[in-house]
Amino acid sequence: MIRKFAFISSLSIILLVAGGCQNKTEPEDTQKSAVSTSSEHESVEQGEGAVYSAQDEDVPPQYVDESKYSGDELAIVKLMNARMRYLYEQDEEGYMSLFTAEAPFTGKPGYKIRNIFSMSEITITEQRNIYQATVKVTELRQADEMEYNQMMVFWKKKADGDAAQWKIADID
């Protein structure tokens, strides 16, 4: 019985020592593995610096320059910028306040907009009960490198008179 125990103990010690030798890391091995894989929100280390992609950071959006607009066009650009800000801040109540009651939205989407980098001219037309504005935009979203082409539709109700404000009616 004692011989059996001594044999098992010796075998266990040999296995522990052998296992420890296999996990031993030489300094050369550490340098070879300087590049590590990462999850979506971690940086990839390479040498002394770090490399970040647009997907890794939650950066504030780049807003449309409002100084280039005036009147109704300025009010529409401010709505577009407010939409980006509320998405970035994850403010659903603020986001939904930008839309008309008739808009086909029930809540804010899960994405954030990095910037609107292309925008057509804002076209304003008069309808029977509203003024309608349309503008085509191309958006870049956080954590996504795809370009999204959107047609934004804005309404201002004539019945509200001087107190009428532009609202987003739809985004296609």
Side-chain angles (χ1 to χ4, degrees), residues 1-8:
M1 181 73 151
I2 295 176
R3 286 178 132 186
K4 195 175 190 182
F5 179 73
F7 175 74
I8 292 174

Side-chain angles (χ1 to χ4, degrees), residues 2-86:
I2 295 176
R3 286 178 132 186
K4 195 175 190 182
F5 179 73
F7 175 74
I8 292 174
S9 296
S10 300
L11 186 58
S12 297
I13 291 171
I14 291 170
L15 289 175
L16 285 173
V17 170
C21 291
Q22 289 176 352
N23 291 333
K24 183 178 176 185
T25 305
E26 297 295 325
E28 297 157 348
D29 294 336
T30 305
Q31 290 175 353
K32 288 178 187 174
S33 64
V35 177
S36 64
T37 53
S38 65
S39 70
E40 186 174 287
H41 298 290
E42 294 176 302
S43 67
V44 176
E45 293 183 359
Q46 196 167 13
E48 294 178 9
V51 178
Y52 297 95
S53 73
Q55 296 175 354
D56 294 332
E57 295 184 37
D58 189 21
V59 295
Q62 295 177 7
Y63 298 106
V64 178
D65 184 3
E66 296 176 0
S67 68
K68 299 178 181 179
Y69 301 92
S70 62
D72 286 330
E73 289 182 347
L74 175 60
I76 290 165
V77 169
K78 284 184 176 191
L79 273 173
M80 294 166 60
N81 284 338
R83 175 176 168 254
M84 285 192 288
R85 185 180 76 245
Y86 289 139

Side-chain angles (χ1 to χ4, degrees), residues 102-165:
E102 298 83 8
F105 303 103
T106 57
K108 77 170 193 54
Y111 59 83
K112 297 177 184 180
I113 299 170
R114 281 193 291 165
N115 73 4
I116 294 175
F117 68 90
S118 175
M119 189 170 120
S120 69
E121 287 188 31
I122 298 171
T123 305
I124 299 174
T125 57
E126 185 175 355
Q127 307 291 327
R128 181 178 196 147
N129 298 317
I130 61 166
Y131 294 98
Q132 178 174 292
T134 57
V135 62
K136 292 180 184 178
V137 300
T138 304
E139 300 175 342
L140 286 177
R141 297 178 181 168
Q142 298 272 358
D144 193 347
E145 294 302 319
M146 290 187 58
E147 298 177 0
Y148 294 88
N149 296 314
Q150 309 272 0
M151 172 65 80
M152 297 185 76
V153 180
F154 303 86
W155 287 355
K156 183 165 79 169
K157 295 181 180 181
K158 290 181 177 181
D160 293 343
D162 291 339
Q165 293 183 345

